Amino acid sequence: MALIAVAADKGAPGVTTTAVALAALWPRRALLAEIDPAGGDLVYRSVTENGRPPDPTTGILSLAATARRGVVAEQLWDHAQRLSGGLDVLVGLANSDQAAGLTGQWGALGRAFAELAQSPHPEVAADVLADCGRLDAGSPVHALLPHASVLLLVTRSSPEQIAHVRDRAAALHNKLHGGQRGTAQLALPQIGVVLVADPQRGERVATQVNEMLIASGTGSRVVGLLAEDPVGAEQLAGRRRGRLDRSLLVRSARRVVADLHQVYRGELAPSGSGATGAQPAPPPGAQRPPAPQGAPPPAGYAPPPGYAPPPGYGQPPPGYGAPPPGQGQQPAGYGPPHAAPQGPPWRPGDGAAGGAG
């Protein structure tokens, strides 16, 4: 299991929409953490399982009040709320002023997220998907990133946003991996790009962006193509009715989840499997041994009409391994103190359950 950070370089390409969709479709138990220092959106755009808006004081804000005494990974569940349909979330701060309460604590928060993902106790363990918002050079979230296994940069397909994400990927490579060419595929977090684009032209754009990223020598690549679907985003945010599970957004998000588990098979392996993803998060630039040969992505997804991945897109680099037994299975029930509440994971089509941004 792993901590997966989801962020953007500039503008509003849909980081929250992407994070919510991926967490909702994740094959294992997932906790969505809204850690954007500028403030979160879920408290305004979602409904809890009791039909009420989430409590804005329970989440990252309540964590900030206890963080200086230390954060025990299992206690993260004490600050989580369950949205209608079953998606567990840590709702974000109300505004950037409240981020002052986490000054100096972002690294400890990242460590707690990683420890929860790597917990040997299946009743509390969960992958953590962290909505980091805009990741500019001055963001305090940088202190959390060394504890992540994967960092996903979300971008739209305009030339200026593509150029920005290329430059941001290079800057992050230099900061997190020491800027050594050829070592990025052995260092954590792995940096990937999720491209939000019209499915009719997404294949061509993804190929161009992928070539640009590979040429940069930073090890980053396009690892997902998410359909630009405003109607689906409105449905995901609970602001519009309809069959969300049939939307282009959700159908493409299924493919992204499958591709992530293909490309980052070692990093996203279940805890206790002996794969690299089950090991403690290394310091910035730490090296990891490659895993063995890969296998096809899991079934159960359907790409949107007209969508086909570009050549080489979604394929694992040499040295990524086959999934260990039990990958993709939901862990057993929730019982011990600080355990997660019981209930099935949220799935699109269960009703209004999640924000978009």
Side-chain angles (χ1 to χ4, degrees), residues 191-228:
I191 302 174
V193 172
V194 175
L195 183 65
V196 181
D198 181 347
Q200 301 302 321
R201 57 188 295 267
E203 175 184 347
R204 176 174 57 83
V205 176
T207 301
Q208 295 171 349
V209 176
N210 214 31
E211 291 174 351
M212 181 188 304
L213 293 172
I214 292 173
S216 70
T218 61
S220 56
R221 63 174 64 196
V222 176
V223 295
L225 178 59
L226 197 65
E228 189 170 10

PDB file of all heavy atoms in Angstrom, residues 191-228:
ATOM      1  N   ILE A 191       7.287  10.112 -10.327  1.00  0.00           N
ATOM      2  CA  ILE A 191       6.510  11.255 -10.801  1.00  0.00           C
ATOM      3  C   ILE A 191       5.820  10.881 -12.106  1.00  0.00           C
ATOM      4  O   ILE A 191       6.479  10.501 -13.081  1.00  0.00           O
ATOM      5  CB  ILE A 191       7.401  12.494 -11.003  1.00  0.00           C
ATOM      6  CG1 ILE A 191       8.106  12.855  -9.695  1.00  0.00           C
ATOM      7  CG2 ILE A 191       6.575  13.671 -11.510  1.00  0.00           C
ATOM      8  CD1 ILE A 191       9.118  13.989  -9.832  1.00  0.00           C
ATOM      9  N   GLY A 192       4.500  10.954 -12.115  1.00  0.00           N
ATOM     10  CA  GLY A 192       3.726  10.679 -13.316  1.00  0.00           C
ATOM     11  C   GLY A 192       2.791  11.839 -13.625  1.00  0.00           C
ATOM     12  O   GLY A 192       2.526  12.687 -12.765  1.00  0.00           O
ATOM     13  N   VAL A 193       2.299  11.876 -14.851  1.00  0.00           N
ATOM     14  CA  VAL A 193       1.402  12.938 -15.301  1.00  0.00           C
ATOM     15  C   VAL A 193       0.073  12.328 -15.708  1.00  0.00           C
ATOM     16  O   VAL A 193       0.030  11.346 -16.453  1.00  0.00           O
ATOM     17  CB  VAL A 193       2.009  13.716 -16.490  1.00  0.00           C
ATOM     18  CG1 VAL A 193       0.990  14.688 -17.082  1.00  0.00           C
ATOM     19  CG2 VAL A 193       3.268  14.466 -16.048  1.00  0.00           C
ATOM     20  N   VAL A 194      -1.015  12.887 -15.176  1.00  0.00           N
ATOM     21  CA  VAL A 194      -2.370  12.525 -15.602  1.00  0.00           C
ATOM     22  C   VAL A 194      -2.880  13.662 -16.479  1.00  0.00           C
ATOM     23  O   VAL A 194      -2.985  14.805 -16.032  1.00  0.00           O
ATOM     24  CB  VAL A 194      -3.307  12.304 -14.402  1.00  0.00           C
ATOM     25  CG1 VAL A 194      -4.738  12.062 -14.878  1.00  0.00           C
ATOM     26  CG2 VAL A 194      -2.828  11.123 -13.559  1.00  0.00           C
ATOM     27  N   LEU A 195      -3.168  13.346 -17.719  1.00  0.00           N
ATOM     28  CA  LEU A 195      -3.575  14.347 -18.698  1.00  0.00           C
ATOM     29  C   LEU A 195      -5.104  14.372 -18.788  1.00  0.00           C
ATOM     30  O   LEU A 195      -5.740  13.337 -19.017  1.00  0.00           O
ATOM     31  CB  LEU A 195      -2.977  14.005 -20.062  1.00  0.00           C
ATOM     32  CG  LEU A 195      -3.224  14.984 -21.210  1.00  0.00           C
ATOM     33  CD1 LEU A 195      -2.543  16.316 -20.919  1.00  0.00           C
ATOM     34  CD2 LEU A 195      -2.696  14.394 -22.521  1.00  0.00           C
ATOM     35  N   VAL A 196      -5.691  15.545 -18.580  1.00  0.00           N
ATOM     36  CA  VAL A 196      -7.134  15.735 -18.717  1.00  0.00           C
ATOM     37  C   VAL A 196      -7.376  16.315 -20.106  1.00  0.00           C
ATOM     38  O   VAL A 196      -6.947  17.430 -20.408  1.00  0.00           O
ATOM     39  CB  VAL A 196      -7.683  16.679 -17.629  1.00  0.00           C
ATOM     40  CG1 VAL A 196      -9.196  16.853 -17.784  1.00  0.00           C
ATOM     41  CG2 VAL A 196      -7.346  16.148 -16.242  1.00  0.00           C
ATOM     42  N   ALA A 197      -8.060  15.545 -20.963  1.00  0.00           N
ATOM     43  CA  ALA A 197      -8.187  15.961 -22.363  1.00  0.00           C
ATOM     44  C   ALA A 197      -9.447  15.391 -22.979  1.00  0.00           C
ATOM     45  O   ALA A 197     -10.050  14.438 -22.461  1.00  0.00           O
ATOM     46  CB  ALA A 197      -6.965  15.504 -23.166  1.00  0.00           C
ATOM     47  N   ASP A 198      -9.852  15.986 -24.094  1.00  0.00           N
ATOM     48  CA  ASP A 198     -10.936  15.451 -24.905  1.00  0.00           C
ATOM     49  C   ASP A 198     -10.520  14.068 -25.402  1.00  0.00           C
ATOM     50  O   ASP A 198      -9.467  13.917 -26.024  1.00  0.00           O
ATOM     51  CB  ASP A 198     -11.177  16.390 -26.088  1.00  0.00           C
ATOM     52  CG  ASP A 198     -12.317  15.936 -26.987  1.00  0.00           C
ATOM     53  OD1 ASP A 198     -12.764  14.786 -26.861  1.00  0.00           O
ATOM     54  OD2 ASP A 198     -12.733  16.741 -27.835  1.00  0.00           O
ATOM     55  N   PRO A 199     -11.325  13.032 -25.138  1.00  0.00           N
ATOM     56  CA  PRO A 199     -10.920  11.681 -25.558  1.00  0.00           C
ATOM     57  C   PRO A 199     -10.652  11.569 -27.051  1.00  0.00           C
ATOM     58  O   PRO A 199      -9.847  10.733 -27.466  1.00  0.00           O
ATOM     59  CB  PRO A 199     -12.123  10.819 -25.152  1.00  0.00           C
ATOM     60  CG  PRO A 199     -12.809  11.581 -24.076  1.00  0.00           C
ATOM     61  CD  PRO A 199     -12.600  13.024 -24.405  1.00  0.00           C
ATOM     62  N   GLN A 200     -11.295  12.401 -27.868  1.00  0.00           N
ATOM     63  CA  GLN A 200     -11.105  12.309 -29.314  1.00  0.00           C
ATOM     64  C   GLN A 200      -9.714  12.746 -29.750  1.00  0.00           C
ATOM     65  O   GLN A 200      -9.225  12.309 -30.797  1.00  0.00           O
ATOM     66  CB  GLN A 200     -12.172  13.161 -30.033  1.00  0.00           C
ATOM     67  CG  GLN A 200     -13.608  12.751 -29.718  1.00  0.00           C
ATOM     68  CD  GLN A 200     -13.885  11.299 -30.083  1.00  0.00           C
ATOM     69  OE1 GLN A 200     -13.419  10.798 -31.096  1.00  0.00           O
ATOM     70  NE2 GLN A 200     -14.651  10.614 -29.239  1.00  0.00           N
ATOM     71  N   ARG A 201      -9.071  13.596 -28.963  1.00  0.00           N
ATOM     72  CA  ARG A 201      -7.727  14.046 -29.317  1.00  0.00           C
ATOM     73  C   ARG A 201      -6.704  13.706 -28.242  1.00  0.00           C
ATOM     74  O   ARG A 201      -5.528  14.022 -28.370  1.00  0.00           O
ATOM     75  CB  ARG A 201      -7.713  15.555 -29.563  1.00  0.00           C
ATOM     76  CG  ARG A 201      -8.203  16.395 -28.397  1.00  0.00           C
ATOM     77  CD  ARG A 201      -8.348  17.860 -28.786  1.00  0.00           C
ATOM     78  NE  ARG A 201      -7.078  18.451 -29.118  1.00  0.00           N
ATOM     79  CZ  ARG A 201      -6.298  19.112 -28.250  1.00  0.00           C
ATOM     80  NH1 ARG A 201      -6.678  19.224 -26.975  1.00  0.00           N
ATOM     81  NH2 ARG A 201      -5.161  19.636 -28.644  1.00  0.00           N
ATOM     82  N   GLY A 202      -7.157  13.044 -27.192  1.00  0.00           N
ATOM     83  CA  GLY A 202      -6.271  12.754 -26.077  1.00  0.00           C
ATOM     84  C   GLY A 202      -5.108  11.859 -26.435  1.00  0.00           C
ATOM     85  O   GLY A 202      -3.992  12.038 -25.934  1.00  0.00           O
ATOM     86  N   GLU A 203      -5.342  10.873 -27.317  1.00  0.00           N
ATOM     87  CA  GLU A 203      -4.278   9.953 -27.701  1.00  0.00           C
ATOM     88  C   GLU A 203      -3.101  10.700 -28.329  1.00  0.00           C
ATOM     89  O   GLU A 203      -1.939  10.483 -27.961  1.00  0.00           O
ATOM     90  CB  GLU A 203      -4.825   8.913 -28.675  1.00  0.00           C
ATOM     91  CG  GLU A 203      -3.762   7.976 -29.226  1.00  0.00           C
ATOM     92  CD  GLU A 203      -4.323   7.013 -30.262  1.00  0.00           C
ATOM     93  OE1 GLU A 203      -5.561   6.904 -30.373  1.00  0.00           O
ATOM     94  OE2 GLU A 203      -3.516   6.383 -30.965  1.00  0.00           O
ATOM     95  N   ARG A 204      -3.410  11.582 -29.250  1.00  0.00           N
ATOM     96  CA  ARG A 204      -2.347  12.324 -29.930  1.00  0.00           C
ATOM     97  C   ARG A 204      -1.603  13.235 -28.956  1.00  0.00           C
ATOM     98  O   ARG A 204      -0.366  13.290 -28.957  1.00  0.00           O
ATOM     99  CB  ARG A 204      -2.948  13.144 -31.072  1.00  0.00           C
ATOM    100  CG  ARG A 204      -1.941  14.043 -31.795  1.00  0.00           C
ATOM    101  CD  ARG A 204      -2.575  14.708 -33.005  1.00  0.00           C
ATOM    102  NE  ARG A 204      -3.753  15.478 -32.647  1.00  0.00           N
ATOM    103  CZ  ARG A 204      -3.707  16.732 -32.175  1.00  0.00           C
ATOM    104  NH1 ARG A 204      -2.529  17.331 -32.000  1.00  0.00           N
ATOM    105  NH2 ARG A 204      -4.816  17.383 -31.888  1.00  0.00           N
ATOM    106  N   VAL A 205      -2.349  13.937 -28.115  1.00  0.00           N
ATOM    107  CA  VAL A 205      -1.716  14.851 -27.165  1.00  0.00           C
ATOM    108  C   VAL A 205      -0.872  14.078 -26.158  1.00  0.00           C
ATOM    109  O   VAL A 205       0.247  14.481 -25.815  1.00  0.00           O
ATOM    110  CB  VAL A 205      -2.786  15.702 -26.442  1.00  0.00           C
ATOM    111  CG1 VAL A 205      -2.137  16.584 -25.386  1.00  0.00           C
ATOM    112  CG2 VAL A 205      -3.552  16.562 -27.443  1.00  0.00           C
ATOM    113  N   ALA A 206      -1.407  12.942 -25.683  1.00  0.00           N
ATOM    114  CA  ALA A 206      -0.660  12.142 -24.706  1.00  0.00           C
ATOM    115  C   ALA A 206       0.664  11.659 -25.282  1.00  0.00           C
ATOM    116  O   ALA A 206       1.691  11.632 -24.590  1.00  0.00           O
ATOM    117  CB  ALA A 206      -1.505  10.966 -24.247  1.00  0.00           C
ATOM    118  N   THR A 207       0.660  11.275 -26.556  1.00  0.00           N
ATOM    119  CA  THR A 207       1.897  10.833 -27.202  1.00  0.00           C
ATOM    120  C   THR A 207       2.916  11.960 -27.246  1.00  0.00           C
ATOM    121  O   THR A 207       4.105  11.771 -26.934  1.00  0.00           O
ATOM    122  CB  THR A 207       1.613  10.342 -28.632  1.00  0.00           C
ATOM    123  OG1 THR A 207       0.678   9.250 -28.581  1.00  0.00           O
ATOM    124  CG2 THR A 207       2.884   9.883 -29.319  1.00  0.00           C
ATOM    125  N   GLN A 208       2.464  13.167 -27.608  1.00  0.00           N
ATOM    126  CA  GLN A 208       3.370  14.315 -27.687  1.00  0.00           C
ATOM    127  C   GLN A 208       3.929  14.678 -26.313  1.00  0.00           C
ATOM    128  O   GLN A 208       5.135  14.940 -26.168  1.00  0.00           O
ATOM    129  CB  GLN A 208       2.638  15.505 -28.301  1.00  0.00           C
ATOM    130  CG  GLN A 208       2.213  15.294 -29.749  1.00  0.00           C
ATOM    131  CD  GLN A 208       1.300  16.401 -30.260  1.00  0.00           C
ATOM    132  OE1 GLN A 208       0.811  17.221 -29.482  1.00  0.00           O
ATOM    133  NE2 GLN A 208       1.061  16.421 -31.565  1.00  0.00           N
ATOM    134  N   VAL A 209       3.047  14.687 -25.304  1.00  0.00           N
ATOM    135  CA  VAL A 209       3.498  15.030 -23.955  1.00  0.00           C
ATOM    136  C   VAL A 209       4.467  13.977 -23.435  1.00  0.00           C
ATOM    137  O   VAL A 209       5.479  14.293 -22.797  1.00  0.00           O
ATOM    138  CB  VAL A 209       2.286  15.181 -23.011  1.00  0.00           C
ATOM    139  CG1 VAL A 209       2.751  15.443 -21.583  1.00  0.00           C
ATOM    140  CG2 VAL A 209       1.377  16.308 -23.479  1.00  0.00           C
ATOM    141  N   ASN A 210       4.163  12.710 -23.705  1.00  0.00           N
ATOM    142  CA  ASN A 210       5.029  11.642 -23.244  1.00  0.00           C
ATOM    143  C   ASN A 210       6.428  11.765 -23.841  1.00  0.00           C
ATOM    144  O   ASN A 210       7.438  11.596 -23.157  1.00  0.00           O
ATOM    145  CB  ASN A 210       4.414  10.292 -23.604  1.00  0.00           C
ATOM    146  CG  ASN A 210       4.698   9.226 -22.572  1.00  0.00           C
ATOM    147  OD1 ASN A 210       4.823   9.521 -21.381  1.00  0.00           O
ATOM    148  ND2 ASN A 210       4.815   7.996 -23.006  1.00  0.00           N
ATOM    149  N   GLU A 211       6.496  12.057 -25.128  1.00  0.00           N
ATOM    150  CA  GLU A 211       7.800  12.225 -25.777  1.00  0.00           C
ATOM    151  C   GLU A 211       8.576  13.388 -25.159  1.00  0.00           C
ATOM    152  O   GLU A 211       9.791  13.308 -24.947  1.00  0.00           O
ATOM    153  CB  GLU A 211       7.598  12.454 -27.275  1.00  0.00           C
ATOM    154  CG  GLU A 211       7.074  11.228 -28.025  1.00  0.00           C
ATOM    155  CD  GLU A 211       6.736  11.530 -29.474  1.00  0.00           C
ATOM    156  OE1 GLU A 211       6.744  12.729 -29.840  1.00  0.00           O
ATOM    157  OE2 GLU A 211       6.455  10.580 -30.231  1.00  0.00           O
ATOM    158  N   MET A 212       7.854  14.465 -24.843  1.00  0.00           N
ATOM    159  CA  MET A 212       8.483  15.636 -24.234  1.00  0.00           C
ATOM    160  C   MET A 212       9.040  15.284 -22.850  1.00  0.00           C
ATOM    161  O   MET A 212      10.171  15.663 -22.501  1.00  0.00           O
ATOM    162  CB  MET A 212       7.457  16.767 -24.127  1.00  0.00           C
ATOM    163  CG  MET A 212       7.994  18.058 -23.531  1.00  0.00           C
ATOM    164  SD  MET A 212       6.674  19.245 -23.220  1.00  0.00           S
ATOM    165  CE  MET A 212       5.928  19.366 -24.851  1.00  0.00           C
ATOM    166  N   LEU A 213       8.253  14.551 -22.057  1.00  0.00           N
ATOM    167  CA  LEU A 213       8.684  14.197 -20.710  1.00  0.00           C
ATOM    168  C   LEU A 213       9.859  13.233 -20.732  1.00  0.00           C
ATOM    169  O   LEU A 213      10.801  13.360 -19.949  1.00  0.00           O
ATOM    170  CB  LEU A 213       7.506  13.591 -19.934  1.00  0.00           C
ATOM    171  CG  LEU A 213       6.354  14.531 -19.610  1.00  0.00           C
ATOM    172  CD1 LEU A 213       5.182  13.751 -19.032  1.00  0.00           C
ATOM    173  CD2 LEU A 213       6.790  15.620 -18.629  1.00  0.00           C
ATOM    174  N   ILE A 214       9.811  12.255 -21.613  1.00  0.00           N
ATOM    175  CA  ILE A 214      10.904  11.290 -21.706  1.00  0.00           C
ATOM    176  C   ILE A 214      12.201  11.984 -22.116  1.00  0.00           C
ATOM    177  O   ILE A 214      13.277  11.694 -21.584  1.00  0.00           O
ATOM    178  CB  ILE A 214      10.540  10.166 -22.691  1.00  0.00           C
ATOM    179  CG1 ILE A 214       9.394   9.313 -22.099  1.00  0.00           C
ATOM    180  CG2 ILE A 214      11.741   9.285 -22.990  1.00  0.00           C
ATOM    181  CD1 ILE A 214       8.847   8.276 -23.057  1.00  0.00           C
ATOM    182  N   ALA A 215      12.075  12.937 -23.049  1.00  0.00           N
ATOM    183  CA  ALA A 215      13.263  13.667 -23.505  1.00  0.00           C
ATOM    184  C   ALA A 215      13.884  14.497 -22.387  1.00  0.00           C
ATOM    185  O   ALA A 215      15.086  14.796 -22.418  1.00  0.00           O
ATOM    186  CB  ALA A 215      12.901  14.562 -24.684  1.00  0.00           C
ATOM    187  N   SER A 216      13.098  14.871 -21.386  1.00  0.00           N
ATOM    188  CA  SER A 216      13.625  15.688 -20.293  1.00  0.00           C
ATOM    189  C   SER A 216      14.556  14.898 -19.381  1.00  0.00           C
ATOM    190  O   SER A 216      15.314  15.492 -18.607  1.00  0.00           O
ATOM    191  CB  SER A 216      12.471  16.273 -19.462  1.00  0.00           C
ATOM    192  OG  SER A 216      11.802  15.254 -18.721  1.00  0.00           O
ATOM    193  N   GLY A 217      14.483  13.563 -19.445  1.00  0.00           N
ATOM    194  CA  GLY A 217      15.385  12.730 -18.656  1.00  0.00           C
ATOM    195  C   GLY A 217      15.087  12.698 -17.181  1.00  0.00           C
ATOM    196  O   GLY A 217      15.933  12.293 -16.378  1.00  0.00           O
ATOM    197  N   THR A 218      13.876  13.085 -16.778  1.00  0.00           N
ATOM    198  CA  THR A 218      13.531  13.115 -15.356  1.00  0.00           C
ATOM    199  C   THR A 218      12.807  11.858 -14.899  1.00  0.00           C
ATOM    200  O   THR A 218      12.494  11.722 -13.718  1.00  0.00           O
ATOM    201  CB  THR A 218      12.643  14.330 -15.052  1.00  0.00           C
ATOM    202  OG1 THR A 218      11.419  14.227 -15.806  1.00  0.00           O
ATOM    203  CG2 THR A 218      13.349  15.623 -15.416  1.00  0.00           C
ATOM    204  N   GLY A 219      12.518  10.944 -15.816  1.00  0.00           N
ATOM    205  CA  GLY A 219      11.813   9.726 -15.449  1.00  0.00           C
ATOM    206  C   GLY A 219      10.308   9.859 -15.390  1.00  0.00           C
ATOM    207  O   GLY A 219       9.617   8.863 -15.182  1.00  0.00           O
ATOM    208  N   SER A 220       9.771  11.064 -15.547  1.00  0.00           N
ATOM    209  CA  SER A 220       8.322  11.251 -15.530  1.00  0.00           C
ATOM    210  C   SER A 220       7.731  10.854 -16.879  1.00  0.00           C
ATOM    211  O   SER A 220       8.418  10.880 -17.903  1.00  0.00           O
ATOM    212  CB  SER A 220       7.962  12.699 -15.194  1.00  0.00           C
ATOM    213  OG  SER A 220       8.578  13.588 -16.100  1.00  0.00           O
ATOM    214  N   ARG A 221       6.462  10.496 -16.866  1.00  0.00           N
ATOM    215  CA  ARG A 221       5.782  10.071 -18.085  1.00  0.00           C
ATOM    216  C   ARG A 221       4.283  10.237 -17.908  1.00  0.00           C
ATOM    217  O   ARG A 221       3.790  10.405 -16.792  1.00  0.00           O
ATOM    218  CB  ARG A 221       6.085   8.604 -18.379  1.00  0.00           C
ATOM    219  CG  ARG A 221       5.568   7.654 -17.289  1.00  0.00           C
ATOM    220  CD  ARG A 221       5.752   6.192 -17.675  1.00  0.00           C
ATOM    221  NE  ARG A 221       7.156   5.878 -17.801  1.00  0.00           N
ATOM    222  CZ  ARG A 221       7.601   4.791 -18.412  1.00  0.00           C
ATOM    223  NH1 ARG A 221       6.746   3.942 -18.942  1.00  0.00           N
ATOM    224  NH2 ARG A 221       8.877   4.546 -18.476  1.00  0.00           N
ATOM    225  N   VAL A 222       3.550  10.201 -19.011  1.00  0.00           N
ATOM    226  CA  VAL A 222       2.089  10.205 -18.941  1.00  0.00           C
ATOM    227  C   VAL A 222       1.643   8.818 -18.486  1.00  0.00           C
ATOM    228  O   VAL A 222       1.952   7.810 -19.127  1.00  0.00           O
ATOM    229  CB  VAL A 222       1.459  10.540 -20.313  1.00  0.00           C
ATOM    230  CG1 VAL A 222      -0.063  10.432 -20.235  1.00  0.00           C
ATOM    231  CG2 VAL A 222       1.864  11.937 -20.753  1.00  0.00           C
ATOM    232  N   VAL A 223       0.935   8.774 -17.366  1.00  0.00           N
ATOM    233  CA  VAL A 223       0.489   7.491 -16.815  1.00  0.00           C
ATOM    234  C   VAL A 223      -1.024   7.366 -16.795  1.00  0.00           C
ATOM    235  O   VAL A 223      -1.554   6.346 -16.340  1.00  0.00           O
ATOM    236  CB  VAL A 223       1.053   7.275 -15.396  1.00  0.00           C
ATOM    237  CG1 VAL A 223       2.553   7.145 -15.429  1.00  0.00           C
ATOM    238  CG2 VAL A 223       0.638   8.409 -14.462  1.00  0.00           C
ATOM    239  N   GLY A 224      -1.728   8.370 -17.279  1.00  0.00           N
ATOM    240  CA  GLY A 224      -3.183   8.298 -17.294  1.00  0.00           C
ATOM    241  C   GLY A 224      -3.778   9.376 -18.170  1.00  0.00           C
ATOM    242  O   GLY A 224      -3.252  10.487 -18.258  1.00  0.00           O
ATOM    243  N   LEU A 225      -4.872   9.027 -18.832  1.00  0.00           N
ATOM    244  CA  LEU A 225      -5.615   9.970 -19.667  1.00  0.00           C
ATOM    245  C   LEU A 225      -7.044  10.025 -19.152  1.00  0.00           C
ATOM    246  O   LEU A 225      -7.807   9.066 -19.278  1.00  0.00           O
ATOM    247  CB  LEU A 225      -5.577   9.519 -21.129  1.00  0.00           C
ATOM    248  CG  LEU A 225      -6.339  10.373 -22.144  1.00  0.00           C
ATOM    249  CD1 LEU A 225      -5.811  11.811 -22.135  1.00  0.00           C
ATOM    250  CD2 LEU A 225      -6.204   9.778 -23.542  1.00  0.00           C
ATOM    251  N   LEU A 226      -7.395  11.147 -18.526  1.00  0.00           N
ATOM    252  CA  LEU A 226      -8.713  11.333 -17.926  1.00  0.00           C
ATOM    253  C   LEU A 226      -9.571  12.170 -18.854  1.00  0.00           C
ATOM    254  O   LEU A 226      -9.140  13.227 -19.325  1.00  0.00           O
ATOM    255  CB  LEU A 226      -8.582  12.016 -16.563  1.00  0.00           C
ATOM    256  CG  LEU A 226      -9.779  11.942 -15.619  1.00  0.00           C
ATOM    257  CD1 LEU A 226     -10.041  10.504 -15.187  1.00  0.00           C
ATOM    258  CD2 LEU A 226      -9.540  12.821 -14.397  1.00  0.00           C
ATOM    259  N   ALA A 227     -10.782  11.694 -19.145  1.00  0.00           N
ATOM    260  CA  ALA A 227     -11.661  12.394 -20.073  1.00  0.00           C
ATOM    261  C   ALA A 227     -12.068  13.756 -19.512  1.00  0.00           C
ATOM    262  O   ALA A 227     -12.434  13.884 -18.343  1.00  0.00           O
ATOM    263  CB  ALA A 227     -12.904  11.561 -20.358  1.00  0.00           C
ATOM    264  N   GLU A 228     -11.997  14.763 -20.363  1.00  0.00           N
ATOM    265  CA  GLU A 228     -12.513  16.089 -20.003  1.00  0.00           C
ATOM    266  C   GLU A 228     -14.027  16.037 -20.145  1.00  0.00           C
ATOM    267  O   GLU A 228     -14.564  16.075 -21.246  1.00  0.00           O
ATOM    268  CB  GLU A 228     -11.905  17.145 -20.919  1.00  0.00           C
ATOM    269  CG  GLU A 228     -12.209  18.565 -20.494  1.00  0.00           C
ATOM    270  CD  GLU A 228     -11.385  19.567 -21.281  1.00  0.00           C
ATOM    271  OE1 GLU A 228     -10.730  19.174 -22.258  1.00  0.00           O
ATOM    272  OE2 GLU A 228     -11.408  20.742 -20.904  1.00  0.00           O
TER     273      GLU A 228
END
